[in-house]
Structure formats: structure tokens, C-alpha cells
């Protein structure tokens, strides 16, 4: 065959890649002189002449068919030019697998997309037609064994259609050696597939837009030819025949696919229903889920689900949704009531209270649950306080002897002051005194003191949480962030209104605490109308000073704990008043009790005389007062914010009078000892002090004391009291900030000097009576008249009222034989018998 033209040359193709049946435009040179001149067209080795359409010598349009090679040249063959060449190439892409029910803009050869035998062996129906390579990149099988992968991914699967699909397993099994760049390409392919699925019908239209244009052009060309022929409406014409053919083809297609399409429509309906159930199963299952979560206590889950349902279906107009949402609201209302009951239930912890308040706030519960909780806690605290009192009163009435109503120093198991002092025959004056204590005294705690301890512990265990709950209510930390934003303005108004109400609650708790404590410790300080509510102890004995001091310490600790909570001082003022009244009463009771102890000192006089002519009685008296004042040290000490016990003039006067009474009671004891009959003195306990001289001579032989000896010993004790003891006691009073010390000292000294003078005169009278009795007969025997005698001028004159200090020394010189062994006092100067002579006739 001769050639008259140059061979064809392809210089361009558009597009340069695509799947089979992609329409391409080929451009070049010498592509033929006409449609009949074009005898061959191959793209990637596949003959495309059947679909080729010659446009001009430089342009050909065709569709790419199925090719064996992924990439190849475009070869054009013409009669005039022969076999041509190509400077460009075309890349054939693998087509996506399309099911028989999927839309497609081109014809799909179904047999090329699945292997019947393979699918049958796998148990997968042909209609499933799943892609073999979802990532769109080359698969490289790994060397890992299937057993190892199954052990590594227990319960998972590498099948991407499985519910337990594991992406890691799939990548290890199929792409263990794939490069990172290829994996990035796989991600791009997945995104492209996802976008194509999301576009739906629009993507189908875009992808087959050229096909639609071609079909439109073909139909237009047929229409134009038929119109030119003029036989389109004639029976048996080409148009009628074509219509009949198309109708038969349509009916045949309907017949072939009617069952399949019917199943498809039914499956679509079922799928749509399942999609609705799946999409709204949250609402349909919500009532049951709410019940289950409430039973498990997962209130957070319930609240989150309710908020989600409310936002989605709160304003729905669908009747089904309305019905289910109404059921949800019914369950939520029951939950509100349950949480409110738990919130108001007592006792409960602060953590639980805050949690329930937050739940109720998130559920938009009407009212103010937080304030209801505060009110319930207030009533609960008051109820606990009164129940505590009723329990102790009932226990006291049922077991009156279980606890001692008044445990003073003589009744409890602790060694008493007097018992400790009586065990020592001789005490060092000025030495410090400490009484031993035993922990066993606690089991004898009086009911009233134990009640106050229990009451304060109860208040301190409940009030801090009550106060913290109020603080959280004020600063809004009780509420969630959503409730905080929605109810901030309304709550700020409520807080301003509630502040006065809460202050009244705290004041009521403080007043109840103080009145209950007063009813137990200071029953006379409450009014008659309140005695039944806050009193009712029905005890006759008053608490001792030691127990009052213990109660004061308890109340003080309570006040300190409440102050640490930053409760306002004006609210705690009633507790300060109670502490002051308890301190005053403790001082009074202690001084009265001290006077009673001192009154019993006379029974403990052992009449053992030391080297200075004294017994242990003055030292016992001083130590007794020192011990009492020492027990009042903590009571008299002013803690921060407390007033002095002696700030009231009335209290100063009463304390001064009690102190004077203590002194006078001891002076009266001395007088009783000096005038006690001989038969009433128990001298069986006397023993000889080897360190002391023989003070009484023959007294040690029969262990008996004469009236003169008793007077002399008491006078010696009086002298020591005046010179030392009373002054030491005054210093102790001043050390403890007692008021009116000068008055106490003056009155006590005056009473002591009066007793000293009276006892001295009695002693002189006893010593002078025998002398006067022996001299008196001789005086009047010679009828001597003293008026005729000159008055003596060489004797020392002495005032009839001899001082007590001189009295004990003078008396020592006039004692029975053996008195010369008594050491002379350092002062005042010793006086002889002759110096007493002017006094004797005066008797």
C-alpha cells in the first residue's frame, strides 16, 4: 500500500488518566482525512475504534476501554498515513466496584467485578460486592502468622465489614511494609470516597454529565431525522416501531428487576425505619435508662441525658416524640422528688448536701432547694440539742446514783487537799503544794457536766458544716456552671433576703446552746417560764468548783472553735456572757467550798509542836487557800475577748466578803480549839518528835494536854498567822487580781488580834488564879492597908493590854517545869515574872 501522507502523530490527550469507559479527546497531526480513513485506534493496548469519532485531522474523540496495561501510548492508524506514533501516554485507573443496584453514568460489565466461585467460597453473596482494597494502594502481605495476630488482637477482626474491625490488625496484615507516603495517599483516597458518598446523587450527576449531554445530542439527532422524514406519526413507521421497542424493553426490564426492585424498596423502607429507630433510639430508650441509672445512683448520667433530650425534643411537634418526652419529664419529676428527699434527710454529710443541691439545680427544680436544706439542717441541730438534754435528764432520773451529782475533793477518788495535808506531821512553810490526780475520776462525771460536754461536741460537729453550707450558698459554689449563669441574678436577690433569716437561725442555735448550758450549770439564771424547756434536772446539790472550772474550759474551747469559723462576734456574745457568769459562779462556789474545808481543819489538829512552838494548822490553812486559788487560776485568767471576773462592783463585794469569811472561819476554829474541854481532845494519835525538845515534860508520859498548854499553842499559832500567814495569803490574793485586799487584811488582822488578846487574858487568868489564891489570905491577915504604902517606883510599867506577840513568849516563861527548854523567840525581848506582877492584881 502506497502512502501519500505522513504517519499520524498524537501530541496530546485529555484527560490523561481515567477509569475504563472514560471519554477522551485525542489531538495531534495527520489523524486522517475523514471517518473512513481512520482504520485503527488503540489506547494502552486496547482497541477503541468502535467508540472513536473522527472530528478533524487533528482531533479524535473516543472512550477508553478495558486495557491490560495500566499505562500506555495512543496509537492511531489511517489508510493514508499508516501506523502512527505518540509523544504522550494515558494512565488507566482501576474502576470502583459498583453494585447492580448502584447508579452509574456508564455501562458496567458486571462479570468483571466479582468472581462467582471466590465469592461463593467465602460465603458472600454477589450483591455485596465489597471492595478488595479500600485504601486504593498496593497490598503487601506481611509475614506475621494469623495465630499471632489473633492473640495480639483478641476478639477483633481484620475484616473491615465486621463490627469488631481493627484498623491496626488490617494495616499490619496488608501494609506492614508500605511507605509513609503511600499511607498518605491512602488517607487521601479514603477522604475522596467519603466525600463522594456524602455528595450522593449530585456526585452521580457530575460524574455522568458528559453522558447526559451525549444522550441529549443523540436524541436530538434522531428527532431531527424523524421530523425530516415526516413519518413519525404514521402507523408502522420507524418512530412507532422504536417506541414499541422501547416500551417492550422497559416492560422486560421491569419484569426482570421487579422482584429485585421490590425487595430493594422494602429494604429501603426497613432501612429507613431502622435509621429512625437508630437515630432516635436515645429518646425511645431514655425512660428505661433513667430508671436504671437512678437505681445505680448515676445521677450525672441522668442529668446529661435529660439535658440532651430537652435540647433536641423539648419543642418538638411530632406526636411520638411528644409522648416519649412527656414520659421522660415524668421520670425526671420523680427524680427531683427523690433528690429533694435525700437532700432534706438528716443526718447527711456536707459533700452529699452539695452534690444533691447541684443535681437539683441542674434539673431546674422549682423553688430554692439549697435554702430548704439550710432550714432542715437548722431544725435538725435544734432537735439534736434538745434530744441530748432529754436523754441525759431521763438517764439521771432512772439512775440517780450512777453519777455523783457533786464530786468535790472529798467525794471523788482524787486525793483531797486536807487528806494530803493530814498525812504529813510537819510541813515546810512556803513550800509549793501540788495535789495528785487520778484519771479514774472521769467515770464519776456528773450528768450535767457530761451533758454540757456532749452538747458542745454535738454543736461543733454540726455547726461548721452548717456554716460552710451557708458560705457555699452565698458564693454560688453549690450550683453548676449552667445553673450559675441562669440563676445568678435571682440568687443574688435571695441571698440579700436570706442573710437576716440565716443570722436569726445562728442566733437561735447559740441561744439554745447557752440556755441549755445554763439550765444544767446555772439553773437559777434562767427564767421560770424556760425552766421546763431548758432545765428539769431536779438536783439539789450544786456542782463543785472543780466541775464548774471543767465546764468553763469546755465552753471556752467551743467559743474558740466557733470563732475560727469567722462567725460574727455579736452572734457569739451570748457564749461570752455564759462564760463570764460561769467564771463568777465558779469563784463563789470555790470560796464557799474552801470555807467549808477550813471549818473542818479543827478536826485535823494533831497538836504536834515543832521547834518554833507551832503546829501544822497554820500551814494547812495557808496551803488550803493556795490550792483553792490555784484551782481558780485558769478561771480568773482572761482569754481574748473575755472580761474580768471582778469588773462588776457587786462581784467584788461578794468575793471580798467570802474571803473575809474564810479568814474569820479559821479564827473561829482557833478559838474553838482553845476552849475545847480536855475530855474532847483526842491525844491517842500523838507521838514523840525526837527532833524536838521535851516541851511538855510529863505530858509525854500520859499523852494529855492541859488547858494552859492548848492556850499557849493557839497563841503561838496566832502570832505566826499575824506575822506570816495572813501576809502570804494577801500576796496570793493580789497575785490572782483579787479586789479589796486591804479590807480583807484589815478585818482579818483585827479579828485575829481580838482573839489573841482574849486568849492571852484567859491564859493569864488561868496562871494567876493559883497565885492570887495563895497570896490573898496573907494580904489581909495583918489588916495591912495598901493606902498607907508608898507606890513602887523601881518597876517597869506595862499596859494591861499586852500584845499577842509578847503573849506567847511571856506565857512560855510561866509554863510548868520543863518550859525552860523552849527556845526564846528572837523578838520581842523576853520578859520575866517580875514584869507580870503589875498585871496580876488587875485580874
Amino acid at each position: 500500500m502506497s502512502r501519500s501522507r505522513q504517519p499520524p502523530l498524537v501530541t496530546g490527550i485529555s484527560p490523561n488518566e481515567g477509569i475504563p469507559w472514560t471519554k477522551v479527546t485525542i489531538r495531534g497531526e495527520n489523524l486522517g482525512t475523514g471517518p473512513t480513513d481512520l482504520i485503527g485506534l488503540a489506547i494502552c493496548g486496547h482497541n477503541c475504534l468502535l467508540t472513536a469519532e473522527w472530528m478533524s485531522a487533528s482531533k479524535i474523540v473516543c472512550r477508553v476501554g478495558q486495557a491490560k496495561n495500566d499505562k500506555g501510548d495512543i496509537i492511531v492508524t489511517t489508510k493514508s498515513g499508516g501506523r502512527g506514533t505518540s509523544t504522550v501516554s494515558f494512565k488507566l485507573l482501576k474502576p470502583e466496584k459498583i453494585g447492580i443496584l448502584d447508579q452509574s453514568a456508564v455501562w458496567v460489565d458486571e462479570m468483571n467485578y466479582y468472581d462467582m466461585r471466590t465469592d461463593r467460597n467465602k460465603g458472600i453473596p454477589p450483591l455485596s460486592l465489597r471492595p478488595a482494597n479500600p485504601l486504593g494502594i498496593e497490598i503487601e502481605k506481611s509475614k506475621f502468622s494469623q495465630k499471632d495476630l489473633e492473640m495480639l488482637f483478641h476478639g477483633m477482626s481484620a475484616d473491615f465489614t465486621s463490627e469488631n474491625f481493627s484498623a491496626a490488625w488490617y494495616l499490619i496484615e496488608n501494609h506492614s511494609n508500605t511507605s509513609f507516603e503511600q499511607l498518605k495517599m491512602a488517607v487521601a483516597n479514603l477522604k475522596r470516597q467519603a466525600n463522594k458518598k456524602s455528595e450522593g446523587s449530585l456526585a452521580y450527576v457530575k460524574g455522568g454529565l458528559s453522558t447526559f449531554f451525549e444522550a441529549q445530542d443523540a436524541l436530538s439527532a434522531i428527532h431531527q431525522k424523524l421530523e425530516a422524514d415526516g413519518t413519525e406519526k404514521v402507523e408502522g413507521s420507524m418512530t412507532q416501531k422504536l417506541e414499541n421497542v422501547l416500551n417492550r424493553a422497559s416492560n422486560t426490564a421491569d419484569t426482570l428487576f421487579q422482584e429485585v426492585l421490590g425487595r430493594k424498596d422494602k429494604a429501603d423502607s426497613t432501612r429507613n425505619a431502622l435509621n429512625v429507630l437508630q437515630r432516635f433510639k436515645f429518646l425511645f430508650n431514655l425512660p428505661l435508662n433513667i430508671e436504671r441509672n437512678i437505681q445505680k445512683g448515676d445521677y450525672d448520667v441522668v442529668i446529661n441525658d435529660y439535658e440532651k433530650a430537652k435540647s433536641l425534643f423539648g419543642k418538638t411537634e411530632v406526636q411520638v416524640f411528644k409522648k416519649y418526652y412527656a414520659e421522660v419529664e415524668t421520670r425526671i419529676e420523680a427524680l427531683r422528688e427523690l433528690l429533694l428527699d435525700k437532700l432534706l434527710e438528716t443526718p447527711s454529710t456536707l459533700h452529699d448536701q452539695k452534690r444533691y443541691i447541684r443535681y437539683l439545680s441542674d434539673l431546674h427544680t422549682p423553688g430554692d432547694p439549697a435554702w430548704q436544706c439550710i432550714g432542715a439542717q437548722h431544725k435538725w441541730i435544734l432537735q439534736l440539742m434538745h434530744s441530748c438534754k432529754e436523754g441525759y435528764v431521763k438517764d439521771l432520773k432512772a439512775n440517780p446514783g450512777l453519777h455523783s451529782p457533786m464530786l468535790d475533793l472529798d467525794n471523788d477518788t482524787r486525793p483531797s487537799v486536807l487528806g494530803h495535808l493530814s498525812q504529813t506531821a510537819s510541813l515546810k512553810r512556803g513550800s509549793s503544794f501540788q495535789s495528785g490526780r487520778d484519771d479514774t475520776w472521769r467515770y464519776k462525771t456528773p450528768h450535767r457536766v457530761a451533758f454540757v460536754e456532749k452538747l458542745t461536741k454535738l454543736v461543733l460537729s454540726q455547726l461548721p458544716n452548717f456554716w460552710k453550707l451557708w458560705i457555699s450558698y452565698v458564693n454560688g459554689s453549690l450550683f453548676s456552671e449552667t445553673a450559675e449563669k441562669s440563676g445568678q441574678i435571682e440568687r443574688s436577690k435571695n441571698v440579700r433576703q436570706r442573710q437576716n433569716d440565716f443570722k436569726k437561725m445562728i442566733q437561735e442555735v447559740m441561744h439554745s446552746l447557752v440556755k441549755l448550758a445554763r439550765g444544767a450549770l446555772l439553773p437559777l439564771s434562767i427564767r421560770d417560764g424556760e425552766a421546763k424547756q431548758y432545765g428539769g434536772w431536779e438536783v439539789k446539790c450544786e456542782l463543785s468548783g472543780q466541775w464548774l472550772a471543767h465546764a468553763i474550759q469546755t465552753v471556752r474551747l467551743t467559743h474558740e472553735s466557733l470563732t475560727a469559723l469567722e462567725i460574727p462576734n455579736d452572734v457569739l456574745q451570748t457564749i461570752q456572757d455564759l462564760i463570764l457568769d460561769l467564771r463568777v459562779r465558779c469563784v463563789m462556789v470555790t470560796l464557799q467550798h474552801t470555807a467549808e474545808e477550813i471549818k473542818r481543819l479543827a478536826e485535823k489538829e494533831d497538836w504536834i509542836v515543832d521547834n518554833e512552838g507551832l503546829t501544822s494548822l497554820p500551814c494547812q490553812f495557808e496551803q488550803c487557800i493556795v490550792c483553792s486559788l490555784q484551782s481558780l487560776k485558769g478561771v480568773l485568767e482572761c482569754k481574748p475577748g473575755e472580761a474580768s471576773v471582778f469588773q462588776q462592783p457587786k462581784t467584788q463585794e461578794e468575793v471580798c466578803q467570802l474571803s473575809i469569811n474564810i479568814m474569820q472561819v479559821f479564827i473561829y476554829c482557833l478559838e474553838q480549839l482553845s476552849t475545847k474541854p480536855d475530855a474532847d481532845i483526842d491525844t491517842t494519835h500523838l507521838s514523840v518528835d525526837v527532833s524536838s525538845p521535851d516541851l511538855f515534860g510529863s505530858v509525854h508520859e500520859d499523852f494529855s494536854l492541859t488547858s494552859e498548854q492548848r492556850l499557849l499553842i493557839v497563841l503561838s499559832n496566832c502570832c505566826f498567822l499575824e506575822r506570816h500567814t495572813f501576809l502570804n495569803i494577801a500576796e496570793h490574793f493580789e497575785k490572782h487580781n483579787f479586789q479589796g485586799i486591804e479590807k480583807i487584811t484589815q478585818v482579818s488582822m483585827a479579828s485575829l488580834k481580838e482573839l489573841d488578846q482574849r486568849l492571852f487574858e484567859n491564859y493569864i487568868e488561868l496562871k494567876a488564879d493559883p497565885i492570887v489564891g495563895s497570896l490573898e489570905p496573907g494580904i489581909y491577915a495583918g489588916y495591912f492597908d495598901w493606902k498607907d504604902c508608898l507606890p513602887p517606883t523601881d518597876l517597869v510599867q506595862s499596859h494591861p493590854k499586852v500584845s499577842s506577840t509578847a503573849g506567847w513568849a511571856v506565857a512560855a516563861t510561866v509554863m510548868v517545869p520543863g518550859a525552860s527548854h523552849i527556845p526564846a523567840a528572837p523578838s520581842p525581848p523576853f520578859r520575866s515574872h517580875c514584869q507580870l506582877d503589875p498585871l496580876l492584881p488587875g485580874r
Side-chain angles (χ1 to χ4, degrees):
M1 181 183 297
S2 62
R3 300 178 183 177
S4 61
R5 298 178 61 86
Q6 294 293 328
L9 175 64
V10 177
T11 58
I13 184 170
S14 177
N16 60 0
E17 64 179 6
I19 62 175
W21 305 110
T22 300
K23 186 177 182 180
V24 296
T25 301
I26 301 172
R27 297 184 182 276
E29 301 175 356
N30 303 321
L31 299 181
T33 57
T36 58
D37 189 40
L38 182 64
I39 59 175
L41 177 60
I43 300 177
C44 296
H46 187 275
N47 187 8
C48 301
L49 182 61
L50 183 62
T51 60
E53 181 179 0
W54 185 88
M55 306 298 292
S56 66
S58 61
K59 178 180 178 181
I60 299 175
V61 177
C62 71
R63 288 188 178 275
V64 180
Q66 292 286 350
K68 297 180 181 179
N69 300 324
D70 292 339
K71 190 174 182 181
D73 296 333
I74 301 95
I75 305 298
V76 179
T77 304
T78 62
K79 293 179 181 180
S80 60
R83 181 182 177 86
T85 59
S86 175
T87 61
V88 294
S89 63
F90 182 84
K91 182 179 181 181
L92 186 65
L93 301 178
K94 292 183 179 180
E96 296 181 359
K97 291 186 178 182
I98 302 174
I100 60 176
L101 300 180
D102 294 337
Q103 295 176 339
S104 176
V106 296
W107 180 260
V108 177
D109 189 359
E110 298 168 356
M111 295 305 297
N112 294 330
Y113 284 86
Y114 64 90
D115 181 59
M116 189 68 72
R117 292 171 300 172
T118 305
D119 291 339
R120 186 183 301 114
N121 291 336
K122 293 183 179 180
I124 300 175
L127 295 179
S128 62
L129 293 180
R130 48 182 186 166
N133 186 8
L135 298 183
I137 58 177
E138 185 179 357
I139 295 178
E140 298 178 3
K141 291 293 184 178
S142 66
K143 298 180 181 179
F144 293 96
S145 64
Q146 192 71 15
K147 292 184 178 180
D148 293 341
L149 293 175
E150 289 178 355
M151 293 179 60
L152 182 62
F153 301 97
H154 181 69
M156 308 301 290
S157 173
D159 185 3
F160 49 81
T161 61
S162 174
E163 294 182 356
N164 299 326
F165 172 68
S166 173
W169 187 350
Y170 180 82
L171 291 176
I172 293 175
E173 184 178 9
N174 298 289
H175 300 282
S176 59
N177 298 325
T178 303
S179 64
F180 183 70
E181 294 297 329
Q182 288 181 319
L183 291 177
K184 290 172 66 176
M185 293 175 58
V187 173
N189 293 336
L190 289 175
K191 289 182 179 180
R192 187 163 48 250
Q193 295 176 16
N195 293 334
K196 189 174 298 184
K197 288 182 180 180
S198 63
E199 291 177 359
S201 300
L202 182 62
Y204 161 72
V205 173
K206 289 181 178 180
L209 192 59
S210 60
T211 304
F212 290 137
F213 290 158
E214 291 176 1
Q216 177 67 25
D217 293 342
L219 292 175
S220 298
I222 294 173
H223 180 67
Q224 290 175 2
K225 289 183 179 181
L226 290 176
E227 284 183 345
D229 186 31
T231 61
E232 67 274 7
K233 295 182 180 181
V234 179
E235 184 69 25
S237 63
M238 180 180 177
T239 304
Q240 187 67 34
K241 292 179 181 180
L242 180 59
E243 181 180 359
N244 294 334
V245 171
L246 291 177
N247 289 333
R248 286 196 303 272
S250 176
N251 293 333
T252 303
D254 291 341
T255 303
L256 291 174
F257 292 96
Q258 184 175 6
E259 183 180 356
V260 176
L261 293 176
R263 289 199 303 267
K264 179 179 181 299
D265 293 338
K266 185 177 180 180
D268 290 342
S269 300
T270 304
R271 190 180 300 107
N272 292 335
L274 292 176
N275 288 337
V276 171
L277 291 176
Q278 181 68 21
R279 180 179 178 184
F280 302 107
K281 71 175 181 179
F282 164 73
L283 177 62
F284 299 145
N285 297 332
L286 187 56
L288 182 59
N289 291 336
I290 289 177
E291 288 292 336
R292 292 176 178 174
N293 291 325
I294 289 176
Q295 293 177 0
K296 293 189 296 184
D298 294 337
Y299 302 120
D300 291 314
V301 177
V302 175
I303 293 173
N304 292 335
D305 291 345
Y306 172 66
E307 289 292 337
K308 182 179 178 181
K310 186 176 182 180
S311 62
L312 294 176
F313 308 102
K315 298 180 180 180
T316 183
E317 297 296 333
V318 182
Q319 293 300 324
V320 176
F321 294 163
K322 279 185 175 182
K323 180 179 178 180
Y324 275 90
Y325 185 73
E327 183 65 23
V328 170
E329 285 289 355
T330 302
R331 305 296 175 89
I332 292 298
E333 184 62 30
L335 176 60
R336 291 191 185 105
E337 296 177 359
L338 175 64
L339 293 176
L340 186 60
D341 292 340
K342 287 182 175 291
L343 175 63
L344 301 181
E345 181 181 347
T346 52
S348 61
T349 62
L350 180 62
H351 173 73
D352 290 339
Q353 291 171 358
K354 290 183 176 181
R355 188 161 57 95
Y356 292 140
I357 290 173
R358 189 173 293 110
Y359 290 154
L360 291 170
S361 176
D362 291 339
L363 291 175
H364 308 286
T365 304
D368 194 348
W371 181 251
Q372 290 178 333
C373 178
I374 292 175
Q377 288 299 310
H378 170 247
K379 294 179 181 178
W380 169 249
I381 294 174
L382 294 178
Q383 181 182 352
L384 284 179
M385 295 168 66
H386 287 280
S387 298
C388 180
K389 192 266 293 186
E390 296 298 333
Y392 273 89
V393 171
K394 183 178 180 181
D395 185 51
L396 176 62
K397 293 179 179 179
N399 305 290
L402 182 61
H403 298 284
S404 177
M406 180 176 179
L407 295 180
D408 54 19
L409 291 174
D410 290 334
N411 292 335
D412 67 17
T413 57
R414 293 170 290 177
S416 65
V417 178
L418 298 180
H420 176 76
L421 293 174
S422 62
Q423 294 174 3
T424 306
S426 177
L427 295 177
K428 297 293 183 179
R429 292 185 295 277
S431 62
S432 61
F433 173 77
Q434 294 181 351
S435 61
R437 291 196 175 185
D438 193 345
D439 291 338
T440 57
W441 67 279
R442 291 190 176 276
Y443 79 93
K444 288 189 175 181
T445 304
H447 283 78
R448 290 178 288 171
V449 177
F451 160 69
V452 172
E453 289 184 350
K454 181 67 175 180
L455 181 66
T456 54
K457 289 180 180 179
L458 188 149
V459 172
L460 291 180
S461 64
Q462 298 294 329
L463 197 60
N465 289 339
F466 183 59
W467 180 260
K468 292 176 183 178
L469 183 64
W470 164 253
I471 297 300
S472 300
Y473 179 80
V474 172
N475 58 31
S477 61
L478 284 176
F479 310 96
S480 64
E481 183 178 356
T482 305
E484 173 77 14
K485 295 179 180 179
S486 62
Q488 185 175 6
I489 299 177
E490 183 179 356
R491 189 173 63 256
S492 61
K493 296 179 181 179
N494 290 338
V495 169
R496 290 192 294 270
Q497 296 173 0
R498 307 293 193 190
Q499 281 181 348
N500 293 332
D501 296 337
F502 183 78
K503 186 175 182 180
K504 291 179 181 178
M505 289 182 181
I506 292 292
Q507 288 176 343
E508 185 177 359
V509 173
M510 294 297 103
H511 288 163
S512 297
L513 171 64
V514 170
K515 288 180 180 179
L516 287 172
R518 286 184 180 274
L521 304 176
L522 303 172
L524 298 180
S525 63
I526 59 176
R527 296 192 295 268
D528 296 336
E530 298 175 342
K532 183 177 180 180
Q533 182 179 3
Y534 299 103
W537 291 92
E538 298 180 2
V539 290
K540 298 180 180 179
C541 299
E542 188 174 10
L543 291 172
S544 64
Q546 288 87 347
W547 288 120
L548 285 175
H550 180 73
I552 291 170
Q553 181 66 14
T554 301
V555 179
R556 277 176 168 173
L557 292 176
T558 303
H559 181 268
E560 292 177 3
S561 300
L562 296 178
T563 304
L565 294 176
E566 298 182 357
I567 297 179
N569 292 329
D570 57 337
V571 178
L572 301 179
Q573 185 58 41
T574 54
I575 300 182
Q576 287 282 21
D577 297 339
L578 172 63
I579 294 175
L580 179 59
D581 293 345
L582 286 174
R583 292 167 64 203
V584 171
R585 189 58 193 163
C586 181
V587 172
M588 301 295 182
V589 171
T590 301
L591 294 179
Q592 293 172 1
H593 182 70
T594 303
E596 294 295 329
E597 287 190 347
I598 291 175
K599 187 182 295 184
R600 295 192 293 269
L601 282 178
E603 304 172 1
K604 302 183 182 295
E605 175 61 273
D606 53 9
W607 300 104
I608 298 178
V609 182
D610 61 5
N611 293 335
E612 298 182 5
L614 304 173
T615 63
S616 63
L617 199 61
C619 192
Q620 291 185 36
F621 168 64
E622 181 180 352
Q623 293 295 342
C624 184
I625 293 180
V626 170
C627 183
S628 297
L629 295 178
Q630 188 67 23
S631 66
L632 293 175
K633 181 178 180 181
V635 177
L636 295 174
E637 182 182 359
C638 293
K639 299 293 183 181
E642 294 182 356
S644 173
V645 174
F646 307 107
Q647 68 173 357
Q648 296 294 335
K650 181 179 178 182
T651 304
Q652 297 179 11
E653 183 64 27
E654 292 179 358
V655 172
C656 181
Q657 190 60 42
L658 288 174
S659 301
I660 294 174
N661 183 52
I662 291 174
M663 301 294 195
Q664 291 180 342
V665 165
F666 184 69
I667 294 173
Y668 177 76
C669 289
L670 293 177
E671 185 175 6
Q672 292 295 108
L673 289 173
S674 65
T675 58
K676 204 170 187 181
D678 294 344
D680 295 342
I681 300 177
D682 182 14
T683 58
T684 58
H685 63 283
L686 294 177
S687 60
V688 179
D689 188 354
V690 296
S691 63
S692 300
D694 189 4
L695 299 180
F696 303 106
S698 59
V699 172
H700 292 161
E701 298 177 1
D702 54 4
F703 297 99
S704 62
L705 291 176
T706 63
S707 299
E708 294 87 349
Q709 291 172 336
R710 288 201 310 276
L711 283 173
L712 185 60
I713 292 174
V714 173
L715 284 170
S716 179
N717 287 339
C718 288
C719 177
F720 185 81
L721 288 172
E722 180 182 357
R723 296 175 57 190
H724 297 284
T725 304
F726 278 12
L727 298 179
N728 293 340
I729 292 174
E731 292 179 0
H732 286 295
F733 280 148
E734 185 176 3
K735 180 180 178 181
H736 290 82
N737 299 323
F738 273 59
Q739 304 296 320
I741 299 176
E742 294 182 359
K743 180 179 178 181
I744 298 172
T745 305
Q746 292 176 0
V747 175
S748 302
M749 285 293 188
S751 299
L752 180 63
K753 290 179 180 179
E754 182 180 353
L755 174 64
D756 181 82
Q757 181 62 30
R758 190 164 57 251
L759 295 180
F760 181 73
E761 291 177 355
N762 292 340
Y763 178 79
I764 295 300
E765 182 178 357
L766 290 175
K767 299 301 291 184
D769 282 345
I771 299 175
V772 173
S774 61
L775 294 178
E776 190 172 7
I779 293 175
Y780 300 102
Y783 302 98
F784 183 78
D785 190 0
W786 288 97
K787 296 180 181 179
D788 299 335
C789 296
L790 297 176
T793 58
D794 57 347
L795 293 177
V796 178
Q797 299 292 331
S798 177
H799 196 277
K801 188 175 182 180
V802 183
S803 67
S804 61
T805 306
W808 73 269
V810 174
T813 63
V814 201
M815 287 179 61
V816 295
S820 59
H821 296 287
I822 300 179
S827 64
F830 186 81
R831 293 190 294 179
S832 62
H833 287 289
C834 62
Q835 293 173 317
L836 295 175
D837 291 343
L839 300 176
L840 297 179
R843 297 301 301 167

